[in-house]
mmCIF file of all heavy atoms in Angstrom:
data_model
loop_
_atom_site.group_PDB
_atom_site.id
_atom_site.type_symbol
_atom_site.label_atom_id
_atom_site.label_comp_id
_atom_site.label_asym_id
_atom_site.label_seq_id
_atom_site.Cartn_x
_atom_site.Cartn_y
_atom_site.Cartn_z
ATOM 1 N N HIS H 25 -17.371 9.315 -16.918
ATOM 2 C CA HIS H 25 -17.752 10.655 -17.359
ATOM 3 C C HIS H 25 -19.058 11.040 -16.673
ATOM 4 O O HIS H 25 -20.140 10.939 -17.238
ATOM 5 C CB HIS H 25 -17.886 10.696 -18.879
ATOM 6 C CG HIS H 25 -16.571 10.822 -19.566
ATOM 7 N ND1 HIS H 25 -16.398 11.508 -20.724
ATOM 8 C CD2 HIS H 25 -15.344 10.358 -19.226
ATOM 9 C CE1 HIS H 25 -15.129 11.467 -21.091
ATOM 10 N NE2 HIS H 25 -14.473 10.751 -20.190
ATOM 11 N N LEU H 26 -18.904 11.511 -15.448
ATOM 12 C CA LEU H 26 -20.039 11.829 -14.595
ATOM 13 C C LEU H 26 -20.528 13.265 -14.793
ATOM 14 O O LEU H 26 -21.717 13.539 -14.761
ATOM 15 C CB LEU H 26 -19.627 11.618 -13.131
ATOM 16 C CG LEU H 26 -20.671 11.760 -12.055
ATOM 17 C CD1 LEU H 26 -21.761 10.702 -12.222
ATOM 18 C CD2 LEU H 26 -20.028 11.614 -10.688
ATOM 19 N N PHE H 27 -19.593 14.189 -15.011
ATOM 20 C CA PHE H 27 -19.931 15.610 -15.074
ATOM 21 C C PHE H 27 -20.171 16.047 -16.516
ATOM 22 O O PHE H 27 -19.420 16.819 -17.090
ATOM 23 C CB PHE H 27 -18.824 16.442 -14.424
ATOM 24 C CG PHE H 27 -18.560 16.051 -13.005
ATOM 25 C CD1 PHE H 27 -17.350 15.491 -12.643
ATOM 26 C CD2 PHE H 27 -19.534 16.219 -12.034
ATOM 27 C CE1 PHE H 27 -17.108 15.113 -11.334
ATOM 28 C CE2 PHE H 27 -19.307 15.841 -10.722
ATOM 29 C CZ PHE H 27 -18.093 15.285 -10.370
ATOM 30 N N THR H 28 -21.257 15.526 -17.081
ATOM 31 C CA THR H 28 -21.554 15.813 -18.488
ATOM 32 C C THR H 28 -22.902 16.477 -18.707
ATOM 33 O O THR H 28 -23.251 16.786 -19.839
ATOM 34 C CB THR H 28 -21.505 14.508 -19.320
ATOM 35 O OG1 THR H 28 -22.421 13.574 -18.755
ATOM 36 C CG2 THR H 28 -20.100 13.914 -19.339
ATOM 37 N N ASP H 29 -23.670 16.680 -17.648
ATOM 38 C CA ASP H 29 -24.978 17.327 -17.842
ATOM 39 C C ASP H 29 -25.160 18.444 -16.819
ATOM 40 O O ASP H 29 -24.520 18.458 -15.770
ATOM 41 C CB ASP H 29 -26.121 16.305 -17.750
ATOM 42 C CG ASP H 29 -26.250 15.696 -16.378
ATOM 43 O OD1 ASP H 29 -26.924 16.307 -15.529
ATOM 44 O OD2 ASP H 29 -25.661 14.620 -16.137
ATOM 45 N N ALA H 30 -26.030 19.351 -17.152
ATOM 46 C CA ALA H 30 -26.229 20.557 -16.344
ATOM 47 C C ALA H 30 -26.681 20.235 -14.918
ATOM 48 O O ALA H 30 -26.236 20.887 -13.964
ATOM 49 C CB ALA H 30 -27.238 21.473 -17.025
ATOM 50 N N ALA H 31 -27.539 19.240 -14.738
ATOM 51 C CA ALA H 31 -28.046 18.923 -13.396
ATOM 52 C C ALA H 31 -26.924 18.422 -12.486
ATOM 53 O O ALA H 31 -26.845 18.812 -11.314
ATOM 54 C CB ALA H 31 -29.164 17.885 -13.488
ATOM 55 N N THR H 32 -26.052 17.591 -13.005
ATOM 56 C CA THR H 32 -24.946 17.057 -12.205
ATOM 57 C C THR H 32 -23.962 18.164 -11.855
ATOM 58 O O THR H 32 -23.480 18.258 -10.720
ATOM 59 C CB THR H 32 -24.230 15.922 -12.963
ATOM 60 O OG1 THR H 32 -25.196 14.936 -13.323
ATOM 61 C CG2 THR H 32 -23.146 15.295 -12.113
ATOM 62 N N LEU H 33 -23.664 19.017 -12.810
ATOM 63 C CA LEU H 33 -22.758 20.139 -12.563
ATOM 64 C C LEU H 33 -23.368 21.126 -11.571
ATOM 65 O O LEU H 33 -22.661 21.653 -10.706
ATOM 66 C CB LEU H 33 -22.399 20.821 -13.876
ATOM 67 C CG LEU H 33 -21.480 19.971 -14.761
ATOM 68 C CD1 LEU H 33 -21.624 20.363 -16.223
ATOM 69 C CD2 LEU H 33 -20.050 20.068 -14.295
ATOM 70 N N ALA H 34 -24.674 21.347 -11.659
ATOM 71 C CA ALA H 34 -25.351 22.237 -10.705
ATOM 72 C C ALA H 34 -25.293 21.643 -9.297
ATOM 73 O O ALA H 34 -25.075 22.372 -8.322
ATOM 74 C CB ALA H 34 -26.795 22.480 -11.138
ATOM 75 N N LEU H 35 -25.467 20.335 -9.192
ATOM 76 C CA LEU H 35 -25.388 19.670 -7.889
ATOM 77 C C LEU H 35 -23.989 19.819 -7.296
ATOM 78 O O LEU H 35 -23.839 20.157 -6.118
ATOM 79 C CB LEU H 35 -25.752 18.191 -8.025
ATOM 80 C CG LEU H 35 -25.621 17.357 -6.756
ATOM 81 C CD1 LEU H 35 -26.535 17.875 -5.652
ATOM 82 C CD2 LEU H 35 -25.926 15.895 -7.065
ATOM 83 N N LEU H 36 -22.965 19.610 -8.101
ATOM 84 C CA LEU H 36 -21.593 19.782 -7.613
ATOM 85 C C LEU H 36 -21.368 21.224 -7.161
ATOM 86 O O LEU H 36 -20.802 21.462 -6.092
ATOM 87 C CB LEU H 36 -20.585 19.401 -8.703
ATOM 88 C CG LEU H 36 -19.117 19.563 -8.324
ATOM 89 C CD1 LEU H 36 -18.740 18.650 -7.161
ATOM 90 C CD2 LEU H 36 -18.230 19.287 -9.545
ATOM 91 N N GLY H 37 -21.818 22.189 -7.931
ATOM 92 C CA GLY H 37 -21.678 23.597 -7.557
ATOM 93 C C GLY H 37 -22.394 23.916 -6.255
ATOM 94 O O GLY H 37 -21.868 24.634 -5.398
ATOM 95 N N GLU H 38 -23.583 23.365 -6.091
ATOM 96 C CA GLU H 38 -24.363 23.578 -4.857
ATOM 97 C C GLU H 38 -23.592 23.041 -3.641
ATOM 98 O O GLU H 38 -23.478 23.713 -2.613
ATOM 99 C CB GLU H 38 -25.698 22.849 -5.013
ATOM 100 C CG GLU H 38 -26.572 22.807 -3.801
ATOM 101 C CD GLU H 38 -27.814 21.962 -4.086
ATOM 102 O OE1 GLU H 38 -28.548 22.294 -5.039
ATOM 103 O OE2 GLU H 38 -28.025 20.969 -3.354
ATOM 104 N N VAL H 39 -23.038 21.843 -3.770
ATOM 105 C CA VAL H 39 -22.306 21.235 -2.657
ATOM 106 C C VAL H 39 -21.034 22.021 -2.356
ATOM 107 O O VAL H 39 -20.697 22.254 -1.186
ATOM 108 C CB VAL H 39 -22.014 19.746 -2.965
ATOM 109 C CG1 VAL H 39 -21.075 19.140 -1.938
ATOM 110 C CG2 VAL H 39 -23.319 18.946 -3.030
ATOM 111 N N LEU H 40 -20.327 22.464 -3.382
ATOM 112 C CA LEU H 40 -19.119 23.278 -3.166
ATOM 113 C C LEU H 40 -19.452 24.578 -2.430
ATOM 114 O O LEU H 40 -18.748 24.971 -1.499
ATOM 115 C CB LEU H 40 -18.435 23.590 -4.503
ATOM 116 C CG LEU H 40 -17.651 22.453 -5.141
ATOM 117 C CD1 LEU H 40 -17.345 22.768 -6.607
ATOM 118 C CD2 LEU H 40 -16.371 22.180 -4.375
ATOM 119 N N ARG H 41 -20.537 25.241 -2.850
ATOM 120 C CA ARG H 41 -20.928 26.499 -2.192
ATOM 121 C C ARG H 41 -21.337 26.272 -0.737
ATOM 122 O O ARG H 41 -20.976 27.050 0.143
ATOM 123 C CB ARG H 41 -22.059 27.181 -2.976
ATOM 124 C CG ARG H 41 -21.575 27.875 -4.248
ATOM 125 C CD ARG H 41 -22.682 28.654 -4.922
ATOM 126 N NE ARG H 41 -23.764 27.813 -5.410
ATOM 127 C CZ ARG H 41 -23.734 27.137 -6.562
ATOM 128 N NH1 ARG H 41 -22.673 27.199 -7.341
ATOM 129 N NH2 ARG H 41 -24.764 26.403 -6.939
ATOM 130 N N LEU H 54 -10.685 26.842 -10.595
ATOM 131 C CA LEU H 54 -11.452 25.592 -10.610
ATOM 132 C C LEU H 54 -11.785 25.261 -12.050
ATOM 133 O O LEU H 54 -12.149 26.150 -12.833
ATOM 134 C CB LEU H 54 -12.749 25.758 -9.804
ATOM 135 C CG LEU H 54 -13.737 24.598 -9.838
ATOM 136 C CD1 LEU H 54 -13.216 23.407 -9.029
ATOM 137 C CD2 LEU H 54 -15.096 25.032 -9.307
ATOM 138 N N VAL H 55 -11.665 23.988 -12.393
ATOM 139 C CA VAL H 55 -12.157 23.499 -13.671
ATOM 140 C C VAL H 55 -12.766 22.126 -13.421
ATOM 141 O O VAL H 55 -12.218 21.324 -12.664
ATOM 142 C CB VAL H 55 -11.058 23.430 -14.765
ATOM 143 C CG1 VAL H 55 -10.000 22.389 -14.455
ATOM 144 C CG2 VAL H 55 -11.659 23.192 -16.147
ATOM 145 N N VAL H 56 -13.933 21.891 -14.029
ATOM 146 C CA VAL H 56 -14.600 20.599 -13.923
ATOM 147 C C VAL H 56 -14.657 20.011 -15.320
ATOM 148 O O VAL H 56 -15.234 20.601 -16.239
ATOM 149 C CB VAL H 56 -16.022 20.736 -13.335
ATOM 150 C CG1 VAL H 56 -16.681 19.366 -13.230
ATOM 151 C CG2 VAL H 56 -15.990 21.434 -11.984
ATOM 152 N N LEU H 57 -14.038 18.836 -15.476
ATOM 153 C CA LEU H 57 -14.042 18.089 -16.728
ATOM 154 C C LEU H 57 -14.940 16.873 -16.542
ATOM 155 O O LEU H 57 -15.371 16.594 -15.416
ATOM 156 C CB LEU H 57 -12.612 17.708 -17.098
ATOM 157 C CG LEU H 57 -11.762 18.941 -17.409
ATOM 158 C CD1 LEU H 57 -10.293 18.667 -17.161
ATOM 159 C CD2 LEU H 57 -11.988 19.396 -18.826
ATOM 160 N N PRO H 58 -15.255 16.129 -17.598
ATOM 161 C CA PRO H 58 -16.204 15.017 -17.443
ATOM 162 C C PRO H 58 -15.841 13.993 -16.372
ATOM 163 O O PRO H 58 -16.722 13.462 -15.703
ATOM 164 C CB PRO H 58 -16.218 14.375 -18.835
ATOM 165 C CG PRO H 58 -15.921 15.516 -19.757
ATOM 166 C CD PRO H 58 -14.905 16.351 -19.012
ATOM 167 N N ASP H 59 -14.546 13.714 -16.175
ATOM 168 C CA ASP H 59 -14.157 12.655 -15.245
ATOM 169 C C ASP H 59 -13.254 13.105 -14.099
ATOM 170 O O ASP H 59 -12.794 12.274 -13.309
ATOM 171 C CB ASP H 59 -13.476 11.512 -15.994
ATOM 172 C CG ASP H 59 -12.175 11.935 -16.655
ATOM 173 O OD1 ASP H 59 -11.863 13.143 -16.686
ATOM 174 O OD2 ASP H 59 -11.466 11.044 -17.166
ATOM 175 N N HIS H 60 -12.977 14.385 -13.992
ATOM 176 C CA HIS H 60 -12.159 14.878 -12.884
ATOM 177 C C HIS H 60 -12.307 16.383 -12.745
ATOM 178 O O HIS H 60 -12.876 17.032 -13.612
ATOM 179 C CB HIS H 60 -10.684 14.481 -13.046
ATOM 180 C CG HIS H 60 -9.947 15.174 -14.140
ATOM 181 N ND1 HIS H 60 -10.119 14.873 -15.478
ATOM 182 C CD2 HIS H 60 -9.006 16.151 -14.097
ATOM 183 C CE1 HIS H 60 -9.314 15.627 -16.205
ATOM 184 N NE2 HIS H 60 -8.638 16.416 -15.394
ATOM 185 N N LEU H 61 -11.791 16.882 -11.630
ATOM 186 C CA LEU H 61 -11.771 18.326 -11.443
ATOM 187 C C LEU H 61 -10.449 18.716 -10.809
ATOM 188 O O LEU H 61 -9.791 17.910 -10.154
ATOM 189 C CB LEU H 61 -12.955 18.804 -10.600
ATOM 190 C CG LEU H 61 -13.042 18.397 -9.139
ATOM 191 C CD1 LEU H 61 -12.278 19.365 -8.241
ATOM 192 C CD2 LEU H 61 -14.502 18.357 -8.708
ATOM 193 N N PHE H 85 -22.075 15.086 -2.097
ATOM 194 C CA PHE H 85 -22.410 14.946 -3.513
ATOM 195 C C PHE H 85 -22.941 13.543 -3.782
ATOM 196 O O PHE H 85 -23.954 13.374 -4.469
ATOM 197 C CB PHE H 85 -21.191 15.230 -4.401
ATOM 198 C CG PHE H 85 -21.476 14.987 -5.856
ATOM 199 C CD1 PHE H 85 -22.027 15.985 -6.632
ATOM 200 C CD2 PHE H 85 -21.222 13.747 -6.439
ATOM 201 C CE1 PHE H 85 -22.339 15.759 -7.972
ATOM 202 C CE2 PHE H 85 -21.520 13.514 -7.770
ATOM 203 C CZ PHE H 85 -22.077 14.521 -8.539
ATOM 204 N N TRP H 89 -26.547 12.794 -5.201
ATOM 205 C CA TRP H 89 -26.540 12.213 -6.550
ATOM 206 C C TRP H 89 -27.397 10.949 -6.563
ATOM 207 O O TRP H 89 -28.240 10.768 -7.431
ATOM 208 C CB TRP H 89 -25.100 11.935 -6.967
ATOM 209 C CG TRP H 89 -24.934 11.031 -8.140
ATOM 210 C CD1 TRP H 89 -24.547 9.716 -8.112
ATOM 211 C CD2 TRP H 89 -25.130 11.338 -9.525
ATOM 212 N NE1 TRP H 89 -24.506 9.206 -9.387
ATOM 213 C CE2 TRP H 89 -24.853 10.180 -10.267
ATOM 214 C CE3 TRP H 89 -25.524 12.491 -10.200
ATOM 215 C CZ2 TRP H 89 -24.944 10.136 -11.652
ATOM 216 C CZ3 TRP H 89 -25.613 12.438 -11.584
ATOM 217 C CH2 TRP H 89 -25.319 11.287 -12.292
ATOM 218 N N TRP H 112 -16.716 8.295 -6.682
ATOM 219 C CA TRP H 112 -15.407 8.952 -6.649
ATOM 220 C C TRP H 112 -14.294 7.929 -6.444
ATOM 221 O O TRP H 112 -14.493 6.939 -5.746
ATOM 222 C CB TRP H 112 -15.310 9.919 -5.463
ATOM 223 C CG TRP H 112 -16.251 11.067 -5.499
ATOM 224 C CD1 TRP H 112 -17.438 11.173 -4.837
ATOM 225 C CD2 TRP H 112 -16.090 12.295 -6.207
ATOM 226 N NE1 TRP H 112 -18.019 12.395 -5.088
ATOM 227 C CE2 TRP H 112 -17.204 13.101 -5.932
ATOM 228 C CE3 TRP H 112 -15.095 12.797 -7.041
ATOM 229 C CZ2 TRP H 112 -17.368 14.375 -6.469
ATOM 230 C CZ3 TRP H 112 -15.257 14.059 -7.572
ATOM 231 C CH2 TRP H 112 -16.376 14.835 -7.293
ATOM 232 N N TRP H 150 -14.506 26.520 -22.742
ATOM 233 C CA TRP H 150 -14.963 25.561 -21.726
ATOM 234 C C TRP H 150 -15.746 26.317 -20.662
ATOM 235 O O TRP H 150 -15.209 27.180 -19.981
ATOM 236 C CB TRP H 150 -13.770 24.833 -21.106
ATOM 237 C CG TRP H 150 -14.193 23.659 -20.284
ATOM 238 C CD1 TRP H 150 -14.205 23.577 -18.922
ATOM 239 C CD2 TRP H 150 -14.678 22.407 -20.765
ATOM 240 N NE1 TRP H 150 -14.671 22.348 -18.529
ATOM 241 C CE2 TRP H 150 -14.972 21.599 -19.650
ATOM 242 C CE3 TRP H 150 -14.913 21.883 -22.041
ATOM 243 C CZ2 TRP H 150 -15.464 20.312 -19.761
ATOM 244 C CZ3 TRP H 150 -15.398 20.601 -22.152
ATOM 245 C CH2 TRP H 150 -15.673 19.830 -21.029
ATOM 246 N N GLU H 151 -16.999 25.980 -20.515
ATOM 247 C CA GLU H 151 -17.897 26.719 -19.629
ATOM 248 C C GLU H 151 -17.598 26.526 -18.144
ATOM 249 O O GLU H 151 -17.767 27.442 -17.341
ATOM 250 C CB GLU H 151 -19.337 26.285 -19.923
ATOM 251 C CG GLU H 151 -20.381 27.033 -19.154
ATOM 252 C CD GLU H 151 -21.795 26.613 -19.527
ATOM 253 O OE1 GLU H 151 -21.985 25.840 -20.481
ATOM 254 O OE2 GLU H 151 -22.712 27.076 -18.832
ATOM 255 N N TYR H 152 -17.146 25.339 -17.763
ATOM 256 C CA TYR H 152 -17.065 24.979 -16.345
ATOM 257 C C TYR H 152 -15.672 25.248 -15.783
ATOM 258 O O TYR H 152 -14.944 24.340 -15.402
ATOM 259 C CB TYR H 152 -17.485 23.518 -16.169
ATOM 260 C CG TYR H 152 -18.789 23.256 -16.878
ATOM 261 C CD1 TYR H 152 -18.833 22.523 -18.044
ATOM 262 C CD2 TYR H 152 -19.969 23.829 -16.400
ATOM 263 C CE1 TYR H 152 -20.035 22.322 -18.713
ATOM 264 C CE2 TYR H 152 -21.169 23.638 -17.061
ATOM 265 C CZ TYR H 152 -21.188 22.885 -18.223
ATOM 266 O OH TYR H 152 -22.362 22.704 -18.882
ATOM 267 N N SER H 153 -15.329 26.525 -15.736
ATOM 268 C CA SER H 153 -13.997 26.948 -15.338
ATOM 269 C C SER H 153 -14.047 28.370 -14.801
ATOM 270 O O SER H 153 -14.857 29.184 -15.242
ATOM 271 C CB SER H 153 -13.074 26.893 -16.564
ATOM 272 O OG SER H 153 -11.846 27.515 -16.321
#
Side-chain angles (χ1 to χ4, degrees):
H25 280 214
L26 186 63
F27 303 114
T28 57
D29 65 85
T32 305
L33 289 156
L35 176 61
L36 179 63
E38 173 184 302
V39 171
L40 284 165
R41 284 186 296 279
L54 174 72
V55 67
V56 181
L57 294 154
D59 63 351
H60 70 285
L61 66 87
F85 175 86
W89 165 256
W112 296 99
W150 192 254
E151 184 177 353
Y152 311 107
S153 169

